Amino acid sequence: MTLRLHDSATREVRDFVPRVPGRASIYICGLTTQTSPHIGHLRFAVAFDVLRRWMERGHGLEVTLVRNVTDIDDKILAKSAENGVPWNEWSQRYERETTAALETIGVRPPSYEPRATGHVPDMIELMERLIERGHAYPAADGSGDVYFDVRSWADYGELTRQRIDDMAPATDADPRGKRDPRDFALWKGAKADEPHTATWPTPWGRGRPGWHLECSAMSWRWLGEEFDIHGGGNDLRFPHHENEQAQSRAAGFGFANFWLHNGMLTTGGEKMSKSLGNTLTVAELTKTYRPLAVRWLLATVHYRSALEYTEGSLAEATAQVERVESFLTRALGVAGLAAGDAREQALTAELPAEFAAALDDDVNVSAALAVVFEHVRRGNSALAGTPDPAAAGQAAVTVAAMLEVLGLDPLDPQWAIGAAGGGDDAARRALEGLVAERLEARAAARAAKDFAAADAVRDQLAALGIVVEDGPQGATWDLTTTKEA
């Protein structure tokens, strides 16, 4: 089958054909490390993590994914100054916090994670190239500013389908040296009230990079003049991605063959604001909800759709996680299959054709998840009445295989099945061991025909919210809070 993706530039779903057979190259705009990231900031990373996993598992591609860090910009300088902290210390603090949050929700690390401040030589070379080609100019007043001349590039506005004359003036730099108010800053000259450490020497004076220039330089350095996919949130389409494309192509680069943009996480129909960040950070949410439930929430809505966050969103995601886990626990128990062995099989198991077709259709995770739950239902049928151990085990492996592609496999040690609000694997193992010991005592009592003692064990477990069911393969247990599939 062919992977088809919605190209934001053409506004069409197109066949994805990698430039280099067997390989895919992706650049996504990472976060600006100015403050604690909330889950709205992280949705893009989960969306592209799923795409990467599907390219690798479903199409056997070797994926190079670059996710940058914007570690210098106006907001970082302003916030660090307000708090009396050196700007680089401030930036590194939130870079570490962002990395920890992404690891917690199972986002695999990128192939490369370049920082903007590490690519100033590339930026200078790119500016020199643009000036030489007549698409950029230094401010005539000697301020050190360098601007991109939007009217010099006939295709400016093509990504977002806008006319230059309809655009508002660019507000990213002082307009004093601009030829046109819409020209945007490639480089910002040093200012007296900003730290000297936040400036670098260039042929046009000391200063620091403009936001748009950073990404063009980093994608060029790590992926070359042309690559397969550029991605990010749809709030970046203008001006950031429009400007990236203009300056890169004006420099003579082919740049991105596809543009992919994910929808926003919204509250009350509005983009989630930073004012909610303190309560919706991963660190805060996982005090109450499992990391797997947080990822489930972010991963199971089509990447181009807006995701509306409500007070009950994570409770609903938790219920779906528990529904799957309930099935896996019972199925593996009946099949006599250890979780580690089942996961090992799942990593190479054949995926259902309907699941593959859903993900090949512009990564339609909603349709793919419907296939997952269809197989959960089939597996539960194999457990009903006289259980079929082989069918139950196969269904469990298939479900785990599909969820692995989405980064949601409960058998993955990443998720440490068990405790809500942190998912402590040790707590789960302790619970399983204690219940197993009580069930062994119950089985011994039943074998000795001491049914009163056996019933007492069952009643003790029930009082703790643990339901015991007897079947041909022996006793199984579940928590009463778990919803049946």
Side-chain angles (χ1 to χ4, degrees):
M1 292 183 287
T2 301
L3 174 61
R4 292 173 57 77
L5 299 172
H6 183 272
D7 182 1
S8 301
T10 62
R11 302 186 184 181
E12 295 176 341
V13 175
R14 303 196 287 121
D15 289 354
F16 175 74
V17 179
R19 293 180 55 257
V20 178
R23 298 184 178 184
S25 49
I26 304 174
Y27 183 92
I28 52 176
C29 290
L31 297 183
T32 300
T33 49
Q34 56 166 307
T35 189
S36 298
H38 58 59
I39 56 173
H41 294 133
L42 304 182
R43 190 189 176 195
F44 83 99
V46 174
F48 287 96
D49 186 57
V50 172
L51 172 63
R52 177 191 192 179
R53 288 167 181 262
W54 177 237
M55 284 180 160
E56 292 174 344
R57 178 69 182 271
H59 292 274
L61 296 173
E62 180 182 335
V63 179
T64 299
L65 186 145
V66 178
R67 184 183 71 220
N68 78 291
V69 176
T70 298
D71 61 342
I72 179 72
D73 88 330
D74 294 351
K75 293 177 182 178
I76 291 173
L77 293 177
K79 287 183 179 295
S80 62
E82 289 171 11
N83 290 273
V85 177
W87 68 272
N88 47 354
E89 179 182 334
W90 183 267
S91 177
Q92 289 172 15
R93 175 191 304 175
Y94 290 110
E95 180 181 341
R96 289 192 295 269
E97 191 172 314
T98 299
T99 298
L102 291 170
E103 289 176 348
T104 298
I105 58 175
V107 174
R108 291 165 51 191
S111 308
Y112 305 105
E113 192 169 25
R115 296 181 181 90
T117 54
H119 292 74
V120 170
D122 300 306
M123 298 176 200
I124 293 173
E125 186 176 348
L126 184 53
M127 285 189 286
E128 289 175 333
R129 188 166 181 160
L130 288 168
I131 291 172
E132 181 182 337
R133 287 169 169 253
H135 297 299
Y137 58 95
D141 61 3
S143 62
D145 293 344
V146 180
Y147 301 105
F148 182 84
D149 185 347
V150 295
R151 292 194 182 275
S152 74
W153 185 245
D155 292 328
Y156 186 69
E158 65 178 339
L159 180 63
T160 51
R161 301 192 179 185
Q162 299 184 77
R163 296 174 61 251
I164 291 178
D165 291 336
D166 295 333
M167 297 177 186
T171 58
D172 60 345
D174 194 311
R176 64 183 182 278
K178 293 184 178 183
R179 296 173 182 172
D180 187 292
R182 300 161 189 83
D183 291 350
F184 58 87
L186 299 173
W187 193 259
K188 300 181 180 183
K191 297 178 176 59
D193 60 347
E194 293 181 350
H196 181 76
T197 55
T199 66
W200 291 262
T202 76
W204 313 285
R206 294 193 68 88
R208 57 185 170 87
W211 177 30
H212 316 303
L213 181 71
E214 294 176 347
C215 285
S216 285
M218 286 184 280
S219 64
W220 176 31
R221 168 59 60 186
W222 294 103
L223 295 177
E225 296 186 1
E226 187 173 358
F227 53 94
D228 291 315
I229 295 172
H230 194 314
N234 62 21
D235 59 332
L236 299 180
R237 292 177 67 244
F238 188 88
H240 186 48
H241 289 166
E242 186 72 69
N243 291 350
E244 271 191 76
Q245 177 165 284
Q247 67 198 10
S248 295
R249 291 190 171 166
F253 305 158
F255 204 49
N257 289 346
F258 274 80
W259 281 94
L260 269 61
H261 290 97
N262 62 275
M264 296 293 98
L265 192 71
T266 59
T267 54
E270 299 293 331
K271 177 184 171 183
M272 186 173 285
S273 67
K274 288 184 175 62
S275 63
L276 298 176
N278 290 337
T279 57
L280 292 176
T281 64
V282 169
E284 188 67 27
L285 289 173
T286 52
K287 291 178 181 178
T288 305
Y289 299 99
R290 294 172 55 187
L292 178 53
V294 176
R295 180 175 175 110
W296 192 286
L297 172 68
L298 297 176
T300 55
V301 173
H302 192 282
Y303 77 93
R304 286 195 289 118
S305 299
L307 172 56
E308 177 69 10
Y309 180 86
T310 67
E311 187 175 346
S313 292
L314 280 169
E316 183 178 345
T318 298
Q320 292 191 34
V321 168
E322 291 180 346
R323 178 183 175 188
V324 171
E325 286 183 335
S326 171
F327 161 67
L328 290 175
T329 299
R330 290 181 289 119
L332 295 181
V334 167
L337 189 60
D341 293 337
R343 174 166 170 75
E344 187 174 346
Q345 293 180 30
L347 292 175
T348 56
E350 183 177 354
L351 297 167
E354 301 90 343
F355 178 83
L359 292 184
D360 275 341
D361 181 18
D362 195 29
V363 200
N364 190 341
V365 293
S366 301
L369 199 62
V371 180
V372 171
F373 280 114
E374 174 57 31
H375 281 262
V376 170
R377 285 189 286 272
R378 293 181 191 177
N380 279 324
S381 295
L383 294 170
T386 302
D388 181 340
Q394 182 57 54
V397 168
T398 301
V399 167
M402 291 186 285
L403 290 176
E404 169 63 22
V405 174
L406 304 177
L408 298 171
D409 179 15
L411 304 181
D412 186 342
Q414 157 80 25
W415 303 120
I417 297 179
D424 185 4
D425 191 33
R428 177 67 179 188
R429 289 195 300 269
L431 175 62
E432 289 176 339
L434 291 170
V435 173
E437 186 277 330
R438 298 309 299 148
L439 291 180
E440 287 175 5
R442 179 172 177 267
R446 284 165 62 90
K449 298 188 183 301
D450 187 351
F451 297 111
D455 288 345
V457 171
R458 183 170 188 158
D459 291 344
Q460 289 168 357
L461 292 173
L464 296 173
I466 299 170
V467 176
V468 176
E469 296 182 0
D470 293 308
Q473 306 299 318
T476 60
W477 63 274
D478 199 2
L479 298 175
T480 57
T481 55
T482 299
K483 295 187 177 182
E484 292 295 324

